[in-house]
Amino acid sequence: MKTKIFIACDTTNPKKLNNIIKNTKTNSLKIGYKFGLEFFYSPKGRIFISKLKKKEIFLDLKLNDIPNTCAAAINAIKDLKNINYITVHISGGQEMLKAIKKASKLINKKIKILGVTVLTSLSNKSIKKVGHTRSIKDLVIKQATLAKSIKLDGIVCSGHEAKYIKKICKNMEIFTPGIRLPGEGKGDQNRVMSPKKSIKNGATSLVIGRSITSGNIKKNIQKLILSMK
Ligand code: C5P
């Protein structure tokens, strides 16, 4: 299976977004688009997304609230018929995950639910500060096991954990953000990895933002293609 690339469209500007879509077109990669909180919350975001056709769309809502509120939030986007993936924080708990799954099946059977484990911006030091006593690796494994038991469709984790998760979540998709092209710095991310290594570790989709969307997008896509060889 060809690894999919989801471009993180982190902007509030529809013009910039059109430019991202135009310049990321290539026959060498299977490209989809990820819309997170920044674009979805922006004045024109929702309507822009609703009009996108023939594209794989990943709505990165990272839901995390009580079950009733999350189910209602899913119901509130039932007019968006073109969504392929939605994210939820696994840390929201079993009942919330079940409620989201049930609500999503009611509005659109094709929507896949991805469980977000520990954000790629976090380190072992930072999760200790919010009260976790396990290591990131153990926490991600624990959360992915819960997501599997609820039959979520996929897991979001860093490339570092993907190699463990692929053994546990055998038939599930694995999305890895925190991707950096060779030679690039981490920025605000912590657990970063190159495209090639992430795929080797088990990623079925890569989520890539600024490495593609900053600067010359066409050149960045060529760099990505080269780095995956
Ligand atoms: O620009 P960069 O490639 O670092 O962007 C990564 C994207 O992936 C952002 O849109 C961010 O919200 C998202 N993401 C992440 N870590 C996760 C889940 C999603 O960085 N665990």
Side-chain angles (χ1 to χ4, degrees):
M1 194 180 68
K2 200 168 177 180
T3 313
K4 287 189 270 187
I5 309 292
F6 281 91
I7 308 291
C9 301
D10 294 327
T11 174
T12 56
N13 184 344
K15 243 188 181 170
K16 200 170 163 201
L17 201 47
N18 277 322
N19 194 44
I20 292 173
I21 293 174
K22 192 175 110 200
N23 288 303
T24 49
K25 277 192 187 123
T26 167
N27 290 327
S28 311
L29 299 170
K30 220 170 160 189
I31 299 249
Y33 297 91
K34 180 184 92 74
F35 301 99
L37 303 181
E38 183 177 353
F39 191 67
F40 194 65
Y41 286 166
S42 71
K44 294 181 181 155
R46 199 179 197 288
I47 187 95
F48 186 102
I49 295 168
S50 74
K51 287 181 181 161
L52 281 175
K53 294 207 170 71
K54 294 188 198 155
K55 307 236 177 315
E56 230 175 311
I57 300 179
F58 171 175
L59 202 52
D60 192 12
L61 297 179
K62 295 201 179 75
L63 294 170
N64 194 353
D65 209 316
I66 62 169
N68 186 60
T69 302
C70 285
I74 293 283
N75 203 40
I77 53 165
K78 66 177 172 212
D79 58 303
L80 296 176
K81 305 284 184 208
N82 54 350
I83 305 300
N84 301 95
Y85 296 95
I86 291 177
T87 50
V88 304
H89 275 291
I90 299 172
S91 59
Q94 190 172 29
E95 286 69 27
M96 181 200 80
L97 298 172
K98 282 184 179 168
I100 289 172
K101 199 175 152 144
K102 191 172 163 198
S104 75
K105 292 298 163 228
L106 286 176
I107 66 160
N108 183 347
K109 286 200 172 62
K110 86 167 188 202
I111 294 180
K112 291 184 175 171
I113 303 294
L114 304 175
V116 177
T117 58
V118 179
L119 294 172
T120 43
S121 54
L122 297 171
S123 62
N124 276 314
K125 205 171 151 195
S126 44
I127 65 163
K128 268 208 179 96
K129 285 192 182 155
V130 291
H132 288 294
T133 50
R134 288 173 185 258
S135 65
I136 287 184
K137 179 187 151 193
D138 288 352
L139 194 53
V140 171
I141 289 174
K142 179 94 184 155
Q143 292 182 344
T145 306
L146 174 65
K148 184 187 172 191
S149 74
I150 294 162
K151 297 192 170 64
L152 293 195
D153 301 286
I155 300 293
V156 182
C157 62
S158 85
H160 297 273
E161 298 96 39
K163 66 177 171 200
Y164 308 107
I165 300 309
K166 79 170 171 194
K167 290 183 191 147
I168 299 166
C169 303
K170 282 186 184 115
N171 296 315
M172 293 168 73
E173 298 189 48
I174 301 178
F175 281 58
T176 60
I179 299 294
R180 291 292 179 264
L181 298 183
E184 285 182 337
K186 283 184 180 181
D188 61 340
Q189 295 282 20
N190 224 298
R191 298 175 350 265
V192 301
M193 197 171 267
S194 71
K196 198 171 177 175
K197 186 136 192 247
S198 291
I199 295 167
K200 191 171 166 248
N201 278 2
T204 56
S205 287
L206 306 180
V207 176
I208 318 182
R210 290 159 290 185
S211 302
I212 299 293
T213 57
S214 304
N216 186 324
I217 298 176
K218 277 190 177 163
K219 270 194 186 157
N220 294 339
I221 287 285
Q222 290 313 313
K223 244 200 241 171
L224 170 64
I225 293 170
L226 264 180
S227 81
M228 286 169 74
K229 281 185 178 153

